[in-house]
Amino acid sequence: MTTTLTVSFLAPVAVGAEIVVVTIEEAGVFSGWNEAAPILVDRSTGIVFGSSSLPEQIHAGDLDVERHSNGRFRRAPDVAPVTYRVASCLIRSRSGDHANLNTVLGLEPLAGTPAYR
């Protein structure tokens, strides 16, 4: 079964590639944690895709976002990273006063891994 994941950043991952989706949380303004855009790691290339607010020190071998962001971000403690095979990848852009970029991925879970929410 294919799952669709839309992220608000560019993630031109090749169809057929295996990626790991890591759920991230951002510290709330006053307290608590809010879900943030996930981190995507292309397992074949080691390229990490994420939002522009993530720290520059993040790389495939060290996804310790809490340490690199001084506690501003953290991996969601109760959501394990999930591995998928990319079935489709659509990059969308919108220009003008409200310019934005996003990526829509069609993902197929690999055997033995739970699906991303």
Side-chain angles (χ1 to χ4, degrees):
M1 179 174 103
T2 302
T3 300
T4 301
L5 174 63
T6 302
V7 292
S8 58
F9 52 83
L10 291 179
V13 184
V15 171
E18 290 184 9
I19 65 167
V20 178
V21 177
V22 181
T23 303
I24 299 297
E25 295 178 330
E26 183 173 12
V29 176
F30 300 107
S31 65
W33 294 90
N34 303 312
E35 188 170 339
I39 294 175
L40 310 177
V41 181
D42 184 327
R43 291 179 62 179
S44 61
T45 64
I47 296 173
V48 177
F49 299 97
S51 72
S52 62
S53 58
L54 287 174
E56 294 176 5
Q57 296 87 349
I58 299 296
H59 59 87
D62 184 3
L63 296 175
D64 189 348
V65 294
E66 190 164 340
R67 178 171 52 92
H68 293 308
S69 69
N70 295 318
R72 184 171 163 222
F73 291 95
R74 71 178 185 182
R75 290 173 67 172
D78 52 351
V79 182
V82 183
T83 305
Y84 293 99
R85 183 167 318 283
V86 176
S88 64
C89 180
L90 170 65
I91 306 293
R92 301 188 304 184
S93 65
R94 183 168 139 188
S95 61
D97 292 342
H98 303 286
N100 65 26
L101 302 168
N102 66 26
T103 304
V104 181
L105 295 169
L107 303 173
E108 297 173 349
L110 293 178
T113 63
Y116 183 78
R117 328 181 233 154

